[in-house]
């Protein structure tokens, strides 16, 4: 074993032992919180039951006082006629006696008196009787979860075992050919937006904070440049049912603009109170946008991190933010793509949520992809950036940390690494697919590479 491999194994051993200590402490803290919550709920339940019993006592006393009042009035105001030769007292003796409700079986101590106003018996048309029933409340897992709370047990940053580089045996094969490499910016600038148009062209933005979008063809020739009044975050082509245009998100200005590719003028498409990021259009004039409420990578309590669907007029028609347990689906949603089956694929590099989240078209979580399986060579934790879907339903996502492009099937299963560092990639960021199936890859050094590829599923 080489010195490097031995060092890596020792580091992995140290990390996993530290993880054992950390999760042990976390579990102990969580168990203690659950027990404290149980004590609090027991006290609150006892108080609630006491209040119910007191209310029942009060209602019973009010009704009992009303009964007694009415009986007394009926006895003292009896003006019924008597027969000739029969005394009033004898007539009353023959009338039914009032029998009070026995209370020996009721465990109530009615010491307080409640002030109740009664209508005179002579003015009463009827006496309204009452019934009392007890309706049992629900007792199921969902109710208990709302009362007690719930725990999460999520995967965070993985511990990598990269002492020995191994290749996975797979039936999945691919063919990749580099077609063109060209520079679109300085070596220190990142290509962060690629919006493919027509059959062999794409609008590209290079450099965070840039206000320029430039149109390049597949041969690397710049055709024209649009200077915008906003800083560009992402861009995508969009068809509103009549015309084609390019939509541009601006994280800083919290707006989405429509670029007329002929006049190179922009118009307002949508203004949102959150910061817009990745954009993707479906085939029905719908637009999907990644939104965040801050620049912070880690979501805190109350943070807004979501994907929203906008109509062709720029109105929000649906949001995807929380799961059934009302916890956030995303930590830092970055880029987004719509698959051929309507699934919504989101790259997320937030702390604790890093990976690819795949949602069905109605917003339910279908699956997560947290990185390649054991046995795939990777030097660093998976860090997803750009994402696109091809005509065969494959999901392609750039891994910035490991300088490669992962290919997933439509169910989020890893198939293979399509392109890697040996193909010249270094810090791949933006991805684009044109209509002829050419893959455009923008990196962190102002370079765009165009590949022709095929994936053969085993």
């Amino acid at each position: 074993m080489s010195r490097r491999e031995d060092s890596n194994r020792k580091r992995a051993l140290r990390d996993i032992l530290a993880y054992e200590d950390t999760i042990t402490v976390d579990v102990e803290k969580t168990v203690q919180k659950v027990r404290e919550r149980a004590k609090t709920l027991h006290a609150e339940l006892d108080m609630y039951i006491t209040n119910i019993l007191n209310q029942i006592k009060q209602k019973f006393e009010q009704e009992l006082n009303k009964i007694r009042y009415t009986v007394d009035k009926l006895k003292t105001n009896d003006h019924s006629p008597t027969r000739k030769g029969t005394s009033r007292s004898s007539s009353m003796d023959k009338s039914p006696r009032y029998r009070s409700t026995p209370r020996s079986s009721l465990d109530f101590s009615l010491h307080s008196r409640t002030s109740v106003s009664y209508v005179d018996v002579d003015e009463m048309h009827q006496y309204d009787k009452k019934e009392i029933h007890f309706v049992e409340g629900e007792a199921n897992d969902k109710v208990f979860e709302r009362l007690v709370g719930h725990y999460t047990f999520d995967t965070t940053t993985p511990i990598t075992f990269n002492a020995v580089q191994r290749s996975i045996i797979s039936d999945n094969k691919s063919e990749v050919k580099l077609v063109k490499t060209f520079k679109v910016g300085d070596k220190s600038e990142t290509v962060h937006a690629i919006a493919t148009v027509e059959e062999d062209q794409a609008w590209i933005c290079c450099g965070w904070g840039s206000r320029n979008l430039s149109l390049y063809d597949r041969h690397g020739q710049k055709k024209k440049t649009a200077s915008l009044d906003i800083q560009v975050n992402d861009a995508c082509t969009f068809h509103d049912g009549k015309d084609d245009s390019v939509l541009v998100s601006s994280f800083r200005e919290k707006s989405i603009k429509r670029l007329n590719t002929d006049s190179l003028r922009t118009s307002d498409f949508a203004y949102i109170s959150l910061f817009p990021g990745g954009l993707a259009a479906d085939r029905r004039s719908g637009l999907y946008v990644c939104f965040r409420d801050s620049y912070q990578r880690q979501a805190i309590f109350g943070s807004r991190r979501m994907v929203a669907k906008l109509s062709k007029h720029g109105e929000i028609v649906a949001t995807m933010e929380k799961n059934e347990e009302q916890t956030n689906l995303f930590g830092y949603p970055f880029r987004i793509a719509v698959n051929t089956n309507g699934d919504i694929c989101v790259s997320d590099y937030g702390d604790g949520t890093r990976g690819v989240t795949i949602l069905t078209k109605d917003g339910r979580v279908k699956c997560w992809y947290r990185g390649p399986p054991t046995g795939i060579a990777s030097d660093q934790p998976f860090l997803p950036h750009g994402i696109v879907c091809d005509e065969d339903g494959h999901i392609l996502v750039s891994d910035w940390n490991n300088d490669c492009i992962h290919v997933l099937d439509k169910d989020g299963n890893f198939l293979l690494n399509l392109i890697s560092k040996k193909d010249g990639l270094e810090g791949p960021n933006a991805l684009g697919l044109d209509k002829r199936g050419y893959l455009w890859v923008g990196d962190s050094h102002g370079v765009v590479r165009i590949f022709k590829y095929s994936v053969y599923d085993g």
Side-chain angles (χ1 to χ4, degrees):
M1 182 183 296
S2 68
R3 182 178 299 178
R4 180 181 179 184
E5 290 174 345
D6 184 57
S7 175
N8 287 335
R9 287 182 184 277
K10 289 180 178 178
R11 183 180 61 185
L13 178 61
R14 183 177 64 251
D15 290 345
I16 201 164
L17 290 175
Y19 165 66
E20 180 184 9
D21 293 338
T22 300
I23 195 170
T24 300
V25 173
D26 288 346
V27 168
E28 290 174 352
K29 288 181 179 179
T30 302
V31 170
Q32 183 62 28
K33 288 181 179 180
V34 172
R35 288 173 175 167
E36 291 174 356
R37 180 60 178 159
K39 291 180 181 179
T40 301
L41 286 178
H42 280 305
E44 292 178 353
L45 181 61
D46 289 342
M47 183 179 296
Y48 180 75
I49 291 175
T50 300
N51 289 337
I52 287 181
L53 294 177
N54 287 336
Q55 291 175 17
I56 293 173
K57 293 176 184 179
Q58 186 180 23
K59 296 291 184 182
F60 177 67
E61 185 178 6
Q62 290 176 356
E63 192 64 19
L64 197 60
N65 288 339
K66 184 177 178 181
I67 290 171
R68 289 171 178 171
Y69 172 84
T70 306
V71 168
D72 290 343
K73 282 293 184 179
L74 288 172
K75 286 181 177 180
T76 57
N77 294 324
D78 188 3
H79 300 297
S80 59
T82 60
R83 291 185 180 179
K84 190 174 182 179
T86 306
S87 65
R88 179 180 178 85
S89 60
S90 62
S91 174
M92 289 182 65
D93 290 340
K94 294 178 182 179
S95 63
R97 296 286 185 180
Y98 167 73
R99 300 175 63 186
S100 62
T101 304
R103 293 191 295 157
S104 59
S105 62
L106 300 178
D107 186 18
F108 290 157
S109 299
L110 304 175
H111 301 296
S112 61
R113 289 290 177 181
T114 305
S115 176
V116 182
S117 59
Y118 302 113
V119 178
D120 195 285
V121 173
D122 291 341
E123 300 177 2
M124 293 174 59
H125 299 288
Q126 65 182 25
Y127 185 92
D128 296 327
K129 296 191 298 181
K130 302 290 193 301
E131 291 182 349
I132 185 168
H133 302 282
F134 178 67
V135 180
E136 294 185 357
E138 285 189 67
N140 55 50
D141 290 343
K142 289 187 177 180
V143 172
F144 292 141
E145 184 176 308
R146 288 196 296 268
L147 288 173
V148 178
H150 68 279
Y151 70 90
T152 60
F153 202 74
D154 299 325
T155 301
T156 59
T157 304
I159 298 172
T160 58
F161 300 94
N162 56 355
V164 180
Q165 300 294 328
R166 292 176 293 172
S167 61
I168 191 169
I169 300 175
S170 174
D171 291 331
N172 300 309
K173 298 180 181 179
S174 64
E175 292 182 6
V176 180
K177 179 183 178 181
L178 177 61
V179 176
K180 187 67 180 179
T181 300
F182 57 96
K183 290 185 67 64
V184 295
D186 294 336
K187 189 175 182 180
S188 61
E189 293 179 321
T190 297
V191 181
H192 57 87
I194 298 177
T196 56
V197 294
E198 301 300 332
E199 292 184 349
D200 61 351
Q201 295 181 342
W203 288 92
I204 298 174
C205 184
C206 183
W208 293 110
S210 173
R211 296 174 179 266
N212 294 331
L213 267 179
S214 297
L215 182 66
Y216 290 84
D217 64 20
R218 198 181 296 148
H219 304 290
Q221 299 297 315
K222 184 191 293 187
K223 297 297 183 180
K224 51 186 173 181
T225 296
S227 297
L228 311 181
D229 56 351
I230 56 173
Q231 291 185 5
V232 178
N233 185 288
D234 195 20
C236 76
T237 56
F238 183 73
H239 183 74
D240 62 5
K242 296 181 179 179
D243 302 312
D244 290 321
S245 59
V246 174
L247 295 182
V248 183
S249 64
S250 175
F251 202 80
R252 182 172 181 177
E253 284 82 5
K254 294 185 179 180
S255 67
I256 299 174
K257 299 280 189 177
R258 185 197 300 266
L259 172 66
N260 185 306
T261 56
D262 293 326
S263 66
L264 301 184
R265 294 181 179 179
T266 61
S267 58
D268 296 333
F269 182 79
Y271 281 94
I272 313 294
S273 60
L274 300 173
F275 297 105
L279 305 173
D282 63 17
R283 301 182 179 184
R284 298 184 177 181
S285 302
L287 179 71
Y288 292 88
V289 187
C290 296
F291 283 111
R292 304 191 300 274
D293 62 350
S294 73
Y295 288 84
Q296 295 180 354
R297 183 169 298 185
Q298 183 174 5
I300 59 176
F301 180 78
S303 293
R304 303 294 306 278
R305 310 293 167 95
M306 68 178 183
V307 166
K309 182 179 180 181
L310 277 62
S311 71
K312 63 181 180 180
H313 304 295
E315 302 165 338
I316 293 180
V317 295
T319 59
M320 289 146 273
E321 182 174 8
K322 296 182 181 294
N323 58 22
E324 294 179 354
E325 289 76 29
Q326 294 304 300
T327 57
N328 288 341
L329 291 173
F330 310 104
Y332 198 93
F334 184 62
R335 291 295 184 256
I336 188 168
V338 181
N339 212 339
T340 53
N341 60 357
D343 286 349
I344 305 152
C345 307
V346 184
S347 66
D348 184 341
Y349 60 82
D351 295 337
T353 57
R354 184 177 296 180
V356 175
T357 302
I358 302 177
L359 308 169
T360 60
K361 55 187 174 184
D362 57 357
R364 293 180 295 105
V365 176
K366 181 176 181 179
C367 57
W368 287 277
Y369 173 71
R370 300 303 192 195
T374 303
I376 300 298
S378 59
D379 296 328
Q380 300 294 331
F382 175 52
L383 185 58
H385 275 54
I387 189 167
V388 291
C389 300
D390 65 19
E391 290 298 321
D392 296 319
H394 297 128
I395 304 165
L396 286 73
V397 56
S398 60
D399 183 351
W400 192 89
N401 266 356
N402 294 287
D403 304 315
C404 61
I405 307 296
H406 300 218
V407 180
L408 318 178
D409 66 16
K410 62 183 178 181
D411 296 317
N413 299 308
F414 177 85
L415 296 180
L416 50 84
N417 280 335
L418 181 68
I419 306 166
S420 63
K421 195 169 184 176
K422 64 180 178 59
D423 299 300
L425 287 189
E426 188 173 354
N429 196 315
L431 298 181
L433 269 173
D434 63 27
K435 292 182 179 180
R436 289 191 175 180
Y438 285 84
L439 177 64
W440 299 55
V441 182
D443 69 12
S444 300
H445 303 289
V447 175
V448 172
R449 292 174 177 84
I450 301 177
F451 297 89
K452 184 64 177 176
Y453 75 95
S454 298
V455 174
Y456 308 102
D457 298 348

